[in-house]
Amino acid sequence: MPVTKTPDGLSEEITPGHPLIHLLQIKTRIFLADFRGFIRKLKHHPSALIGALLIILFLVVAFFAPAVAPHDPFVGELSERLIAPSWLEGGVSQYILGTDQQGRDLLSRIIYGARISLWVGFISVTISVLIGTLLGAAAGYFRGKLDLFLSRTADLLLAFPFLIFAVAVMSFLGPGLINLILALTFKGWVEFFRLVRGEMLSEKTKEYVEAAKANGQSNLRIILSEVLPNIIHTIIVLGTLRMGFFIIMEASLSFLGLGIQPPDPAWGSMVNEGRQFMLNAWWLSTFPGAAILVLVLSINLFGEGLRDILDPRLKIE
Amino acid sequence: MLEIKNLAMAFETERGLVRAVNKVDLSVAEGEVMGIVGESGCGKSVTLLNILGLVPHPGKVLSGEIMFQGEDLLKKSKKEMRDIRGKDIAMIFQDPMTTLNPVFRIGEQIRESMRIHGLFKDVKGGFFKSARKHAEKDRAVELMEEVGIPSPETRYHNFPHEFSGGMQQRALIAIGLSCKPKLLLADEPTTALDVTIQAQILALMQKINQEHGAGIILVTHDLGVAAEFCHKIAVMYAGRIVEQGRTEQVMDNPHHPYTQGLLRSIPKMSSKKDRIEPIPGGVPDLAELKEECAFYPRCAKAHDKCLSQEVPMFDAGEGHTVRCYLYG
């Protein structure tokens, strides 16, 4: 049997199987098929490219933290406390960004902190996307009492400011990584719910859904393998942008002492710890703060670039 | 093969029942092409959706039965209906552009239907069921060739937007044919296409009808299309069938004043008149329909009897039936 080559170089089409597997296949396939075009478009979108490169840098550094970090982030010499960054007066080349009040290397702590920020951001976005998409798709597709109940719940959650709500949940659950993720997703799914529900409402009226029904497809199948692939790009864009937001929320909670607890090096708690030394050791708060800024900025740049690239109405060349 | 008896359905709205389909009797024999003709909103498309059990939300079947191969479709469970849809009864929609799912390749969409209905479920072998996949693919390519899509091997991998309107409609017909349905429902399949393509698509459907022996119900508001293509024609007005018969009976010798009016309002090349003759008045509000003849306000031949009660179907000879007292 001759293998037919498609224009984008894919040699074989997907086999639709179980709806969930089908969706997974579609996702990977769409991803692979569009990857080259995506990279090409990314090259023409400078801010998205910068964002992407910085994110990759953060990911690599976080992944290889033990190899990259020059010192142990948890152990410090008290005799070497509050050393200035290496380029300043009193700085030592051994500690590039200086040391904190316990003599721990600041750079190493920031590097390990990237792990926490990225983890929290990624996990809470993933869970929020899953919950929000599932409920939003069901609400938008089936309407009725389910939709009414879920929409009102979403409205209720939206009435609270995010941080206040997260603070309340955290003080109820107590600090810790898992509780932090719980607190973020507790309200985080709402955005995705509203997005997917709205998209589903508009997609549902399109004729291809009617045709799928006329073809004998079940509701689950129509939702997962007909409609979702049509709206997945909006979910990806919102997911990316929300990840930046969740990272800030994590940092804020850790800053308030409700999130990650010392000695774990979360950027937010590092900023908080450094606050008391602001006048004579400004670098303690400044560099973790800058790390938050750069990471969130690059995620947002990338997210907005994604929106331009994935939105078929905004063709960029 | 398909027999609709006394079908009535309505949409429950705030203004009361909107009777979209009112006591409709229709029958399609094997290999027969039935045309349903009427203006927009007369209930022709909804009748088709009823056959598939896909009437949109506030719609409800009030009475009647839809017998398909000896079984009442209205009594079937959701699961049973899903098995029938796309397999025994396939539907072709009006606008091919929006009917195809924009994110999937044409070939996959043709295969999808075969896979749902397990057309090749006996084909075993290969990692990840590759043997079945190849069987489905071969059949899809075959189908694309049959419906006249050039170089189907390459076109198989195209996305819908890379097809022209006519080619999209061909692809949809291929999807419809994939499970060898016994009945094909076509809801204005040529309305969104330009005239030359219309002719090609109709010729294709004619070929399918002859070669596969599939019965076809064609819904159209184009009398010319119906006259050329159908064996039988049913004329619908305000949810009711007002005239039904073989094509030549209805076209050459229209009985109902509405059918006569419709035929008069078609512009003719031979006519010397500058203006076509419209039917005066407009379509009645379906929510305010009474039992009387719905065409009464627009009818030139109306008399008091038309208002008194529901007009029955009268036999005008040789299976030609008319819902008008002029023939009673």
Side-chain angles (χ1 to χ4, degrees):
Chain A
M1 169 127 220
V3 179
T4 43
K5 281 274 179 192
T6 60
D8 52 20
L10 284 177
S11 60
E12 193 48 276
E13 69 284 4
I14 53 149
T15 333
H18 186 272
L20 282 168
I21 297 171
H22 191 190
L23 178 68
L24 210 70
Q25 285 173 320
I26 289 158
K27 271 182 168 174
T28 15
R29 207 183 56 89
I30 289 176
F31 182 73
L32 284 176
D34 295 345
F35 194 66
R36 274 191 225 163
F38 176 73
I39 294 294
R40 201 181 54 239
K41 283 176 182 165
L42 197 61
K43 281 182 190 157
H44 294 279
H45 201 296
S47 58
L49 185 65
I50 292 169
L53 291 176
L54 282 172
I55 290 171
I56 291 171
L57 180 75
F58 273 105
L59 284 174
V60 169
V61 165
F63 190 79
F64 296 106
V68 179
H71 297 274
D72 188 327
F74 298 100
V75 186
E77 281 290 329
L78 276 177
S79 58
E80 291 173 344
R81 59 202 290 266
L82 298 178
I83 294 176
S86 58
W87 64 90
L88 291 177
E89 202 177 324
V92 197
S93 64
Q94 201 188 342
Y95 302 111
I96 300 174
L97 294 181
T99 59
D100 66 3
Q101 69 280 12
Q102 294 181 37
R104 296 172 298 195
D105 179 37
L106 192 59
L107 178 63
S108 304
R109 284 182 69 73
I110 289 178
I111 287 172
Y112 273 85
R115 285 185 151 186
I116 291 175
S117 282
L118 287 168
W119 257 124
V120 170
F122 180 75
I123 300 278
S124 40
V125 161
T126 309
I127 298 175
S128 298
V129 163
L130 287 178
I131 297 175
T133 304
L134 200 76
L135 297 181
Y141 189 82
F142 295 111
R143 305 300 306 272
K145 284 188 179 129
L146 176 80
D147 181 29
L148 201 70
F149 173 72
L150 289 173
S151 293
R152 290 300 83 79
T153 312
D155 288 346
L156 186 74
L157 286 173
L158 275 181
F160 298 99
F162 202 106
L163 190 61
I164 307 282
F165 192 81
V167 165
V169 175
M170 284 307 279
S171 46
F172 181 73
L173 293 173
L177 184 71
I178 292 175
N179 289 351
L180 186 61
I181 291 170
L182 276 179
L184 291 178
T185 48
F186 204 87
K187 195 163 136 55
W189 62 274
V190 174
E191 300 282 326
F192 296 97
F193 168 80
R194 282 160 57 94
L195 174 82
V196 174
R197 177 181 173 272
E199 292 279 344
M200 181 59 89
L201 285 179
S202 84
E203 288 297 312
K204 205 186 134 186
T205 60
K206 295 199 176 155
E207 240 176 350
Y208 73 84
V209 175
E210 186 80 15
K213 281 186 197 158
N215 214 351
Q217 298 198 35
S218 63
N219 286 331
L220 180 69
R221 202 185 171 83
I222 292 174
I223 293 173
L224 291 180
S225 52
E226 296 282 335
V227 180
L228 268 192
N230 274 291
I231 60 179
I232 198 99
H233 64 278
T234 61
I235 301 174
I236 292 174
V237 170
L238 184 69
T240 315
L241 293 171
R242 291 306 279 181
M243 186 167 161
F245 179 73
F246 283 164
I247 288 173
I248 291 193
M249 283 299 120
E250 179 270 320
S252 309
L253 287 170
S254 297
F255 177 83
L256 293 171
L258 289 162
I260 309 294
Q261 297 296 304
D264 285 336
W267 291 344
S269 48
M270 287 161 74
V271 173
N272 187 29
E273 282 168 38
R275 212 162 37 97
Q276 10 181 345
F277 304 95
M278 207 56 192
L279 290 178
N280 44 11
W282 54 266
W283 54 89
L284 285 185
S285 288
T286 310
F287 290 119
I292 298 171
L293 175 81
V294 175
L295 178 60
V296 173
L297 183 68
S298 51
I299 288 176
N300 283 347
L301 283 178
F302 181 64
E304 293 193 358
L306 263 189
R307 188 175 57 201
D308 297 346
I309 291 166
L310 293 181
D311 190 341
R313 280 161 299 190
L314 299 169
K315 282 274 177 222
I316 48 164
E317 270 317 312
Chain B
M1 179 178 51
L2 180 86
E3 208 175 348
I4 301 177
K5 286 180 202 155
N6 199 26
L7 179 72
M9 68 85 50
F11 291 97
E12 282 173 347
T13 66
E14 288 164 5
R15 296 171 50 225
L17 282 186
V18 176
R19 293 175 180 274
V21 178
N22 209 340
K23 297 183 182 167
V24 162
D25 292 289
L26 264 183
S27 68
V28 184
E30 223 149 294
E32 198 172 47
V33 183
M34 163 66 110
I36 304 180
V37 190
E39 349 184 4
S40 309
C42 74
K44 19 183 226 308
S45 298
V46 179
T47 307
L48 285 195
L49 290 178
N50 261 304
I51 298 175
L52 287 173
L54 286 178
V55 180
H57 166 56
K60 255 197 182 141
V61 175
L62 303 175
S63 69
E65 49 188 29
I66 301 172
M67 303 300 285
F68 178 69
Q69 298 183 315
E71 289 175 86
D72 191 353
L73 294 183
L74 294 176
K75 294 206 177 88
K76 294 227 177 246
S77 70
K78 281 183 178 176
K79 172 84 180 62
E80 288 170 320
M81 274 315 285
R82 275 210 301 273
D83 289 342
I84 288 174
R85 286 179 207 142
K87 188 168 176 235
D88 297 317
I89 307 178
M91 183 146 177
I92 298 166
F93 287 85
Q94 181 172 9
D95 188 357
M97 184 73 208
T98 55
T99 308
L100 288 161
N101 193 329
V103 299
F104 295 115
R105 288 163 210 281
I106 296 282
E108 285 160 20
Q109 299 197 39
I110 299 176
R111 263 184 50 202
E112 177 89 359
S113 182
M114 296 183 229
R115 212 193 40 64
I116 295 169
H117 297 293
L119 203 66
F120 292 102
K121 63 170 183 279
D122 299 333
V123 180
K124 296 256 158 41
F127 197 50
F128 289 135
K129 300 172 186 162
S130 58
R132 182 187 303 175
K133 212 159 79 175
H134 282 304
E136 285 169 358
K137 195 190 158 178
D138 291 347
R139 169 106 174 104
V141 170
E142 214 174 88
L143 278 166
M144 288 170 79
E145 191 146 26
E146 188 182 339
V147 298
I149 295 172
S151 50
E153 281 277 350
T154 14
R155 297 302 243 163
Y156 182 93
H157 299 283
N158 280 152
F159 284 102
H161 68 267
E162 296 170 293
F163 271 43
S164 67
M167 284 299 148
Q168 286 171 347
Q169 194 59 286
R170 283 170 199 270
L172 276 174
I173 293 175
I175 294 174
L177 288 181
S178 60
C179 292
K180 302 182 182 135
K182 302 184 180 69
L183 182 64
L184 208 56
L185 308 179
D187 187 1
E188 312 213 13
T190 58
T191 309
L193 307 171
D194 67 59
V195 184
T196 44
I197 308 296
Q198 274 187 20
Q200 291 172 13
I201 295 292
L202 284 176
L204 170 64
M205 288 181 60
Q206 210 143 24
K207 188 183 109 185
I208 287 159
N209 171 247
Q210 283 156 7
E211 287 175 10
H212 292 248
I216 297 179
I217 300 184
L218 175 79
V219 157
T220 178
H221 56 245
D222 190 335
L223 280 169
V225 166
E228 192 153 323
F229 181 57
C230 302
H231 303 140
K232 288 201 304 191
I233 288 181
V235 182
M236 271 186 97
Y237 186 75
R240 283 199 178 93
I241 290 183
V242 293
E243 182 161 4
Q244 190 172 2
R246 289 200 314 279
T247 303
E248 58 278 11
Q249 289 172 333
V250 178
M251 286 296 162
D252 300 342
N253 187 16
H255 280 25
H256 197 281
Y258 177 63
T259 319
Q260 292 168 357
L262 274 185
L263 284 167
R264 266 202 305 276
S265 62
I266 298 174
K268 290 187 190 71
M269 295 285 270
S270 56
S271 163
K272 292 219 172 69
K273 278 187 235 165
D274 293 339
R275 294 178 158 272
I276 54 171
E277 248 180 85
I279 307 175
V283 189
D285 187 339
L286 289 176
E288 283 158 16
L289 277 190
K290 307 215 170 50
E291 290 295 285
E292 68 206 36
C293 177
F295 192 59
Y296 176 84
R298 304 171 74 182
C299 185
K301 295 167 186 167
H303 54 94
D304 296 345
K305 205 178 172 190
C306 306
L307 278 180
S308 61
Q309 54 178 317
E310 190 183 2
V311 190
M313 270 296 209
F314 294 108
D315 195 347
E318 292 171 43
H320 189 179
T321 51
V322 192
R323 200 183 284 280
C324 183
Y325 278 120
L326 291 175
Y327 306 92

